[in-house]
Amino acid sequence: MAASDINLILGYATAAVQFTLAIMILFLHPRRCSACGKQRTARRLLVLSLFISMAGNLLNSIFTVPKMVFDVFFFWSCSTQNILMGFVSILFANPTRISRRFVLMNCLAYAFFNLLLVASAFAFPSAFAALFIAGFTAGVGQSIHICRIAVKEYREATIKLEDYYSEEFNYMRRYKNMFISAIAAGMALLIAVPFSGGIFHIWRILYVMFYIYVAILFIAQGYNMNLVSQLYDSLDIKKSRRQSFGSMDKLGVVLKKWVDKKNYTISDVSTESIAEDLDTDILTFREYFRQVIGEDFRSWRQRLRIEEACRIMEENPSMSYEIVAETVGINDRSNFKKSFEKFKGMTPNEWKRKR
């Protein structure tokens, strides 16, 4: 197969991945999220930039152009994809963080260096090498800046989610690792731009395969974004009045009924919603657990879930841990194992052997 054919195939494949990401940005994000709705303009701008990047990638692949021009446009395409992935990663961690101003300021800074590259390639070829190095350095620096913001937002989002739902959310850490590795892959491809032949094609194939993986994981984890959107919706709501404080004794009675119905096995329900179901407010609810129970609600509920899991495993020894965990309201196997070891002092396998 000729080098031009390989370049054309890779161009189409990369464009397909970029198109998929653009569609996901438009339609995957929950539509019932008021905080997300405020970012409609920002998402459209991201998609527009992504389509521009896709068009540049296709033009580079279809038409035969000088090496210097190809390097410029391919650098522009890859760096666009890179900064967009950074924007999308922040958007997924905190829908309220990406504003029109934030996107425009970063895109303008990024576009300035890329325009310098384009101008030098056509008008000042003698200065191309120096400007290319400057543009590359600026692109990497901006990617690192966006990445740092994303890491901070994921850290804060994880804390807010775990407090709001009283659950552990490992999937947020997976999101963070996925997006950071995607940005790193983009920077690795930028490093490969000056190379030609086999090395460049290998890098490009790996780049396409990785972004296909990112797209699949992106779609598979789409449901979890509803949890994030509900959190930020709740933070935006200013309640006009609060429920009256219920007595500790009354809360103890209704909480016992709540336990008897095994409502602790229901997952993805906010702590505030549980307090409202128990006819109290969140402050009284937390104070009850601090004074009467002696531990926080998350730990107390997880203890009940593990006890229920032990009962289920004793009655159904052949049931898989995934099904047991899901039945008791723990949606992540690693969380199930960690909680089991915390409360039982042994792994589920060790517990089964001893039983």
Side-chain angles (χ1 to χ4, degrees):
M1 185 180 294
S4 59
D5 294 332
I6 296 176
N7 190 55
L8 185 62
I9 293 173
L10 291 176
Y12 282 135
T14 306
V17 174
Q18 292 171 327
F19 178 80
T20 302
L21 289 173
I23 296 301
M24 286 191 295
I25 294 171
L26 276 177
F27 299 110
L28 182 61
H29 222 278
R31 297 188 178 186
R32 295 181 180 179
C33 171
S34 61
C36 302
K38 298 173 184 176
Q39 311 310 319
R40 190 175 296 109
T41 302
R43 292 206 306 276
R44 287 173 178 172
L45 181 59
L46 295 182
V47 171
L48 175 62
S49 300
L50 196 55
F51 278 130
I52 293 174
S53 174
M54 182 181 69
N57 179 64
L58 288 175
L59 289 174
N60 287 336
S61 303
I62 295 173
F63 297 101
T64 303
V65 295
K67 177 75 167 59
M68 183 171 63
V69 177
F70 175 84
D71 286 349
V72 169
F73 280 97
F74 194 80
F75 176 86
W76 171 72
S77 176
C78 293
S79 54
T80 300
Q81 180 70 63
N82 215 31
I83 192 173
L84 286 176
M85 186 56 69
F87 287 153
V88 174
S89 66
I90 298 173
L91 185 67
F92 257 56
N94 182 353
T96 65
R97 181 64 173 83
I98 293 289
S99 64
R100 187 188 309 178
R101 176 183 173 84
F102 179 82
V103 173
L104 284 175
M105 293 300 292
N106 280 276
C107 285
L108 286 175
Y110 147 81
F112 173 75
F113 290 100
N114 280 275
L115 287 175
L116 281 180
L117 288 180
V118 174
S120 65
F122 290 99
F124 310 103
S126 59
F128 175 74
L131 288 174
F132 188 87
I133 293 174
F136 173 79
T137 304
V140 171
Q142 192 170 12
S143 295
I144 293 174
H145 172 66
I146 296 295
C147 193
R148 289 181 61 185
I149 295 176
V151 170
K152 178 184 176 183
E153 293 298 335
Y154 275 100
R155 187 183 299 118
E156 293 180 357
T158 300
I159 294 173
K160 291 176 181 176
L161 280 168
E162 292 180 348
D163 179 65
Y164 183 70
Y165 291 102
S166 291
E167 305 273 9
E168 291 190 38
F169 286 91
N170 285 338
Y171 78 85
M172 287 299 291
R173 299 177 182 89
R174 287 196 292 269
Y175 267 137
K176 182 188 72 174
N177 295 335
M178 177 185 72
F179 283 119
I180 291 176
S181 57
I183 295 172
M187 286 194 285
L189 187 64
L190 288 179
I191 296 173
V193 169
F195 296 94
S196 60
I199 295 178
F200 177 72
H201 288 317
I202 290 174
W203 273 113
R204 199 170 177 189
I205 291 171
L206 293 176
Y207 173 82
V208 173
M209 292 176 62
F210 180 79
Y211 271 93
I212 291 174
Y213 161 74
V214 169
I216 293 173
L217 188 58
F218 202 69
I219 295 173
Q221 294 288 345
Y223 161 74
N224 293 323
M225 289 313 302
N226 285 312
L227 304 180
V228 179
S229 66
Q230 289 169 19
L231 165 66
Y232 284 99
D233 277 348
S234 175
L235 295 178
D236 279 350
I237 294 175
K238 306 298 183 183
K239 294 187 176 180
S240 58
R241 64 183 181 87
R242 301 185 62 88
Q243 287 182 300
S244 60
F245 282 51
S247 67
M248 294 291 186
D249 293 337
K250 179 182 177 182
L251 179 55
V253 173
V254 293
L255 186 62
K256 184 179 183 305
K257 295 179 180 179
W258 186 84
V259 172
D260 291 340
K261 294 179 180 178
K262 297 184 179 180
N263 288 340
Y264 55 83
T265 61
I266 302 174
S267 62
D268 300 337
V269 181
S270 71
T271 311
E272 188 172 6
S273 297
I274 294 173
E276 290 177 356
D277 289 342
L278 297 176
D279 197 26
T280 188
D281 62 278
I282 188 64
L283 296 179
T284 304
F285 185 75
R286 286 175 174 166
E287 188 67 14
Y288 177 84
F289 276 89
R290 188 180 69 82
Q291 292 186 10
V292 180
I293 304 296
E295 62 181 334
D296 60 75
F297 174 70
R298 180 194 301 180
S299 178
W300 174 81
R301 180 175 59 179
Q302 204 74 337
R303 187 191 306 277
L304 292 178
R305 288 173 171 177
I306 295 302
E307 292 297 335
E308 178 67 11
C310 290
R311 186 192 66 78
I312 292 174
M313 290 191 296
E314 190 169 15
E315 294 180 357
N316 306 275
S318 61
M319 184 178 291
S320 68
Y321 295 140
E322 288 85 355
I323 297 178
V324 173
E326 186 175 350
T327 302
V328 299
I330 303 176
N331 296 328
D332 189 282
R333 180 174 178 175
S334 62
N335 283 344
F336 175 70
K337 183 180 178 182
K338 183 169 66 174
S339 297
F340 200 99
E341 291 179 350
K342 175 183 176 181
F343 294 113
K344 293 298 179 181
M346 64 187 77
T347 66
N349 279 331
E350 291 171 343
W351 184 87
K352 272 190 174 183
R353 285 196 296 267
K354 288 194 174 186
R355 299 298 292 182

